[in-house]
Amino acid sequence: MASGAKRSASDSKKADFFDVVAARYSVRAYQKREVEPDLLRKILEAANLAPSAGNLQAYEIVVVRDVDRKKALAEAAVHQTFIAEAPVVMVFLANPARSQWRYGRRGAQLYCIQDATISCAYAQLAAAALGLGSCWVGAFYEKEILKAIDCSYDLIPVALLTIGWSAEPFERRPRRSLSDLVHYERCP
């Protein structure tokens, strides 16, 4: 870009997005500070805008703030105690029935999982854009997660997302190089 040239609105939006992606990191220590309802709503609205197979949104989100439920989630997540200390825990659940009617077995076994996963990723990026920390948790016992949130019907826990104000410094961990990660035209 030439010196003194103005950036277009689309250029600044692109830069802002990449800044958010670069700022996101996994937080496992949170300040004892609540997440304001308007910020939580913005995160949930972003999750709701995530693409989904056939726009069926074959997932559910359970927002947990209750201390005892967060403790139960932490126990169900292989005793990851930081989960109980986060101000908010979102449980993303795949809803196979919402996808199966249109896509059959593939919808029930894959598309609903993808839908919940993408929604969680949008929520995580929205939290980062708002200056909040988060941590994606995938290690847990499914039945215990369902019990902790009083879910008795056919949903599949896909991810927990802890959200709050970070109490730990940002530390970028090394990532694989693109030359190691990306392959063109065929598998390695």
Side-chain angles (χ1 to χ4, degrees):
M1 185 178 297
S3 176
K6 291 185 179 179
R7 288 172 52 177
S8 71
S10 64
D11 287 341
S12 68
K13 287 180 183 177
K14 289 177 186 174
D16 291 343
F17 172 76
F18 289 104
D19 290 344
V20 168
V21 171
R24 190 225 50 86
Y25 67 105
S26 295
V27 173
R28 291 179 180 82
Y30 296 95
Q31 298 175 25
K32 295 200 181 306
R33 176 180 166 194
E34 289 300 313
V35 174
E36 294 84 354
D38 61 316
L39 297 181
L40 182 57
R41 180 153 183 89
K42 286 180 181 182
I43 294 167
L44 291 167
E45 287 171 348
N48 190 39
L49 291 172
S52 64
N55 197 35
L56 295 175
Q57 294 177 283
Y59 59 91
E60 312 296 327
I61 304 169
V62 176
V63 177
V64 179
R65 289 182 174 230
D66 179 77
V67 172
D68 292 331
R69 285 191 195 275
K70 289 190 299 183
K71 286 180 182 176
L73 289 171
E75 287 301 307
V78 199
H79 312 289
Q80 296 181 70
T81 57
F82 77 92
I83 294 168
E85 297 165 7
V88 176
V89 180
M90 292 182 180
V91 183
F92 288 80
L93 303 134
N95 186 337
R98 285 191 66 89
S99 191
Q100 184 173 15
W101 73 268
R102 181 180 286 172
Y103 297 115
R105 187 173 63 90
R106 191 154 175 90
Q109 293 179 352
L110 177 62
Y111 298 163
C112 62
I113 303 290
Q114 292 173 333
D115 288 356
T117 302
I118 296 167
S119 179
C120 187
Y122 270 49
Q124 189 171 43
L125 289 173
L130 294 168
L132 292 158
S134 67
C135 188
W136 183 299
V137 179
F140 50 75
Y141 300 106
E142 290 182 14
K143 288 181 183 178
E144 286 80 2
I145 293 293
L146 294 172
K147 182 179 176 185
I149 58 172
D150 294 333
C151 184
S152 60
Y153 59 103
D154 192 24
L155 297 180
I156 304 165
V158 172
L160 306 179
L161 185 64
T162 60
I163 298 174
W165 300 99
S166 179
E168 60 189 24
F170 173 77
E171 182 180 324
R172 173 65 56 209
R173 292 186 180 170
R175 307 296 293 185
R176 289 172 62 189
S177 69
L178 290 182
S179 63
D180 182 47
L181 176 71
V182 179
H183 312 283
Y184 294 93
E185 310 303 338
R186 62 183 190 190
C187 277

